[in-house]
Amino acid sequence: MTTLEEPVQAPAAAFRHAITDPTRVPVERYFSPEFAELEKNKLWTRVWQMACRLEEIPRVGDFTEYRINDQSILVVRESEESIKAYFNACRHRATSLGDGTGTFHGGQIVCPYHGWRWNLDGSNSYVYAERGFTPACLDPDALRLRECQVGTMFGMVFINMDPDAEPLEVAMDGIRQKFDLIGFDRMKVRWWRHLVLPGNWKMAQEAFMEAYHVMQAHPSLSMGAADEDYDVDALGGDFECFGNGHGHALLSSSGGTPVAGMSLADYFIQFNNALYVGTDAYTTDREMFIQQGLLEKDIDENDFPMAFFQALYEYAQGAGIPLPPPTTETSGYGHIFPNITVLPAYGNSIIYRVRPNGDDPESCLFEVWAVQIPTAEEADVDRPELEGPIPVEEWPQIFKEDFLNIERQQRGIHTQGLSDLIMSEKYEAMIVNSHKTIDEYLAR
């Protein structure tokens, strides 16, 4: 069952390369500088977007820089309870106030050029030789750092450059209720890596917004399954999409396996093994330890998955791991509009964030977080550090397979005579919904 709340369709004449048929996506949306400029001015300046994870700014005074297109935003831990997001420019002569990640010591944001200072709440605290400026130049409101809207959810910090944008809680309606069941707010970073991909940010994002590609692209996961082996929903058609662009895949209610002739236990074990080797994220040492212990017991093959989850929760209780209660209402994977994909499992998740690489419409910054609910002893983790850029050939196999196909797609869209991409409203519902929501922003 695919449920799709239809957003308002953008008028065809509102801008070039708008979606007029949800099953057809004009290829220019993936390489046109004109279209990228529209997104730059009308999407990224108005949409709620993940700027960082809470672990990146654990202590008062900590900051991290978030860049999108030509904009730089400083996300600052103002107090234990409050986070601020400032446009990263001195009010004097526009010098960047912070680069990368660091700490503003003494509760002061200091301009490295002329030494002007601001408190963590954005108010100006010092102007060097202020007697040389007219009183109008020293007006406190004029000197305040300019703010973005900021909010926290799912263990992440979101910002919005539009002061009139709806609150984060409203913007996340629908997906928030589903993701709250997963326990993202309890997860901590195991590793955080990135690379620059030769593909449009949407092209890269969409590779992880459907499961339709798994049978061909990921042989270690499909395990030789043929078309007829798959239940249509298991293939990636059981979606719930929302009018604000978010969407998620519902857990399949099918009790069988996607591979004919393979026992439920064999499929479950091999799938976990493939994800452990192929991602180092979706299945971790913790789950492999539990699975190995069960292999030494005499368990009916049809009961193996249930025995695994029972053992996982018993282990979690003993280790002080606050796993969320089991529920069939949770998500297999999901999309936070416009550029976050999550793949949760077993109290851990893979998280993808994709952004334009400056003004280049044919390359993107691609980040991957491996996060997990820690044990009580692991709760105080270090501030995560971004690794990379890591070349495609050095990523685990499943990531590598996806990255190479993104490169192939970006080359292919320039083929003469190819005017649009064909989309399935069933298997690629989240992609269809995302494009429609993008057009809502661009038509404003």
Side-chain angles (χ1 to χ4, degrees), residues 11 29 56 75-76 88 120 126 132 135 142 153 164 168 184 186 212 255 260 274 342 382 412:
R29 294 169 73 93
E56 294 178 54
V75 182
V76 182
N88 188 12
L120 298 181
Y126 176 72
M153 197 173 290
D164 298 321
L168 178 64
F184 282 117
R186 308 171 205 173
Y212 182 61
V342 299
D382 294 332

Side-chain angles (χ1 to χ4, degrees), residues 85-101:
Y86 301 116
F87 288 98
N88 188 12
C90 175
R91 300 297 295 164
H92 175 213
R93 288 186 28 208
T95 308
S96 297
L97 298 172
D99 299 313
T101 298

Side-chain angles (χ1 to χ4, degrees), residues 188-236:
K188 303 296 182 182
V189 175
R190 292 179 51 241
W191 54 258
W192 173 25
R193 301 166 186 162
H194 84 291
L195 76 165
V196 178
L197 279 176
N200 182 267
W201 72 273
K202 297 184 294 299
M203 188 71 76
Q205 184 77 49
E206 291 162 14
F208 306 93
M209 292 169 67
E210 46 89 355
Y212 182 61
H213 69 282
V214 171
M215 184 171 64
Q216 176 65 32
H218 302 306
S220 64
L221 299 179
S222 60
M223 292 177 266
D227 192 336
E228 59 270 17
D229 292 327
Y230 277 95
D231 175 87
V232 291
D233 288 338
L235 185 58

Side-chain angles (χ1 to χ4, degrees), residues 416-434:
Q416 292 188 18
L418 182 67
S419 61
D420 48 40
L421 307 183
I422 300 171
M423 293 289 170
S424 165
E425 292 185 276
K426 182 175 183 63
Y427 300 142
E428 294 150 334
M430 286 201 291
I431 300 175
V432 171
N433 193 44
S434 181

Side-chain angles (χ1 to χ4, degrees), residues 384-441:
E385 294 186 8
L386 179 61
E387 304 172 44
I390 297 173
V392 169
E393 58 272 14
E394 295 181 16
W395 285 79
Q397 183 62 29
I398 291 175
F399 292 121
K400 189 187 309 181
E401 290 162 353
D402 284 317
F403 294 155
L404 290 174
N405 276 326
I406 291 165
E407 294 181 27
R408 295 181 182 110
Q409 282 183 281
Q410 193 67 31
R411 292 197 303 268
I413 57 174
H414 290 281
T415 302
Q416 292 188 18
L418 182 67
S419 61
D420 48 40
L421 307 183
I422 300 171
M423 293 289 170
S424 165
E425 292 185 276
K426 182 175 183 63
Y427 300 142
E428 294 150 334
M430 286 201 291
I431 300 175
V432 171
N433 193 44
S434 181
H435 277 281
K436 288 182 178 180
T437 309
I438 288 172
D439 280 10
E440 285 189 33
Y441 279 89

Side-chain angles (χ1 to χ4, degrees), residues 178-179 182 184 208 211 238-239 247-252 282 327-335 341-346 348-350 430:
K178 298 299 180 181
F179 283 2
I182 295 173
F184 282 117
F208 306 93
D238 201 9
F239 292 98
H248 73 114
L250 306 170
L251 292 182
S252 174
Y282 194 83
T327 173
T328 58
E329 297 299 315
T330 190
S331 300
Y333 62 93
H335 173 60
T341 302
V342 299
L343 294 92
Y346 314 136
N348 49 273
S349 184
I350 302 172
M430 286 201 291

